[in-house]
Each structure stands twice: as structure tokens, then as C-alpha cells.
Amino acid sequence: MNDDVRKYIYGALTVFVVGVLVWVGFLFVNACGFSLACNRGASSVDRTPVPTLLPANLPVMQGGETTASDQCRVAAIDLLGAWVEAGSPETDAFQFIDVNGQNCESTFDEVKPLFIESNLWYSGSRSCVTCHGADVAAASAQLDLSTYAGIIAGSRRANAESNGTDILGAGTWESSLLYDFVMTDKAGVSGHDDIASNLLIFAGKALPAPDPTTTPSPVVEATATPTP
Ligand code: HEC
């Protein structure tokens, strides 16, 4: 190879490398100035909103006062129980006591996702409606948990028009089929063999402290025992 060509190639390479270095240097100085203690490249902290059903399994903050938020924290199972004990209202609010002993109020809107969301009761859990879906004939136990009407109509329904077995224990939570099938492991029943969960969720909002001059309204006591 002829020396001129070699010089030409080396020259071009040098110009390229120097160009890249200058460019990187330019970007750095542009972003950071002449400081080496600059961390503009560090990824920024994401602020995540707190969804209503965020599982709140983190330990309670020590020494922390209750936060400014008026959301309540409750075991999902206790929220279900309070709803059933209140006569399972479709739109009316029902009350419950949250894990911090506050009086709280919620509606069916916050109960419904417990049946519909997957990955909720425990990591990787299937939603109830994957098996207990809107097609009554095809649904496990002919139970449709996808709508309020379906939940009320119960299980073992002959068809989409008829009611079946009440799963809500006629308003007595602990004697309900729902309680039984959500609280107790049913070995061999897929979807119920590992369902018992002490999931805590954010739900409802705190009620103002009861006025001592008026009679306090009755509140359903949360009683579920967390399973190990
Ligand atoms: C993988 C499928 C599957 C999932 C997911 C599932 N189930 Fe079931 N469920 C069944 C089957 C199957 C039965 C019937 C068991 C039997 O015949 O004893 C049943 C029975 C029930 C029953 C009793 C009905 C009756 O009359 O015996 C209730 C209540 C119930 N499920 C509620 C739920 C709830 C609430 C969820 C969600 C937290 C859920 N299921 C998730 C499959 C499932």
C-alpha cells in the first residue's frame, strides 16, 4: 500500500476519533458544566399514583401519624364481609372499621374489583371471573361474579334468568358460601386451593370522628383472622 493512502486513512481515523471525543465533551459540558459531580444522567424517581387497590402489605410506618390521606386500609376479606353484613347494597355506602380503627365508608364499586382483578389476592392469582364469568352455563358452579346482579343471583343457577344458591349467607358473612370459598383452602378445587389471603388494600374513606352527642351508627366489626 502506498504511504499516501495510509496517511489518508490514519488522518481520517484521527479526525473521526477526535470528533467523537469533542462531541461527547460538548454534550457533557452542555448538560453539566465543568463539574464532575453532576448526576443528570441518573434516572429520575418515578412518582406512582396510589391506586385504590394497591396491596398495602408494607409494614405500618413506625411512629408515623396517620397520613394526610383519608383513605382507609382494610383487609380485602373484611371489606367483603362488611359489605355482606350491610346487606350487600348495590349503590348505598356501607361502613367498616379499618386496620387503624378508623370508621370508614365504602361502596360496592370498591368491592367489585375484588372479584374482577387478577393478580390481586396473591401474586399470580387468577381473577374470580376467569372461572365465574358472565356465561352462567359455562361458569364454574354456575356462578357469575362479574356483575352485581350475578353475585346476588348466586351459584348453581339453572340458567341466566334464574337465581341459585345464595352465596352471601343471607347477610351473615361467616356462614356464607363466599366466606367459605374465599377463606378456606379447598384442596383440589382449582382457583380455591390457595386462595386464602390476608391481602390489605386501600379502600373507602375515613368518616369524621363520631360526634359524642349523637348516637353512633352501628359499624360492622372487622373480624377475619389473617391466615398464615
Ligand atoms: C380456576 C377457577 C376458579 C377461580 C379463579 C375461582 N373459582 Fe370459585 N369455584 C371454582 C369451582 C370449580 C367451584 C366449584 C367447587 C365445587 O364444586 O365444590 C367454585 C366454587 C365457588 C363458590 C361456591 C359455589 C357453590 O355453590 O358451591 C364460590 C362462592 C366461589 N367459587 C367464589 C369464588 C371467588 C370469590 C373467587 C375469586 C376470589 C373464585 N371463586 C375464583 C373455580 C374457581
Side-chain angles (χ1 to χ4, degrees), residues 80 114-117 121-122 125-132 139-143 145 154-156 165-168 176-182 186 188-193 195:
L80 264 184
L114 301 175
F115 298 115
I116 290 182
E117 282 188 21
W121 290 92
Y122 53 90
S125 68
R126 288 207 260 168
S127 72
C128 311
V129 294
T130 49
C131 301
H132 303 290
S140 296
Q142 291 74 53
L143 170 62
L145 293 175
S155 63
R156 319 275 169 194
T165 316
D166 176 21
I167 62 164
L168 303 176
S176 68
L177 265 174
L178 184 57
Y179 176 86
D180 185 30
F181 272 76
V182 177
K186 304 280 177 208
V189 183
S190 156
H192 290 276
D193 43 4
I195 203 168

